[in-house]
Amino acid sequence: MSTDTPLKPLVEIAGFRTDSRYRLVHFEGAGWEPLAPEEFEPRLHQLFPDLDPHDPERVHWEDRPWEWPAWRPGEA
């Protein structure tokens, strides 16, 4: 058996949308959640304490890695 088989992502971040401050994030075993940038890493570490959020094999961004929609307090 080959050890070069890519690992399945544990976390998937949906495509970028400008009409929301959130990005939809899918956590293996927990489903999809809308998360703001400040919520992403704490939630990731809550579910997967040892996971490196910058591991491209385990954390897959559909587009624009680490980019979140612009949002200012007071906006809906």
Side-chain angles (χ1 to χ4, degrees):
M1 181 169 181
S2 173
T3 59
D4 296 334
T5 304
L7 298 172
K8 181 180 178 206
L10 293 174
V11 181
E12 296 180 62
I13 298 87
F16 187 90
R17 292 180 25 204
T18 58
D19 63 342
S20 171
R21 83 178 270 206
Y22 305 101
R23 285 190 75 157
L24 286 175
V25 180
H26 181 264
F27 295 101
E28 183 71 32
W32 289 93
E33 301 179 26
L35 295 176
E38 64 274 8
E39 299 169 322
F40 174 64
E41 286 194 58
R43 181 67 172 140
L44 180 140
H45 288 303
Q46 179 183 31
L47 295 170
F48 305 105
D50 298 325
L51 181 61
D52 175 0
H54 296 278
D55 179 346
E57 285 192 349
R58 303 315 304 250
V59 180
H60 173 76
W61 293 78
E62 185 175 317
D63 61 5
R64 301 185 187 189
W66 294 99
E67 189 174 337
W68 299 83
W71 180 84
R72 291 175 290 287
E75 290 182 352

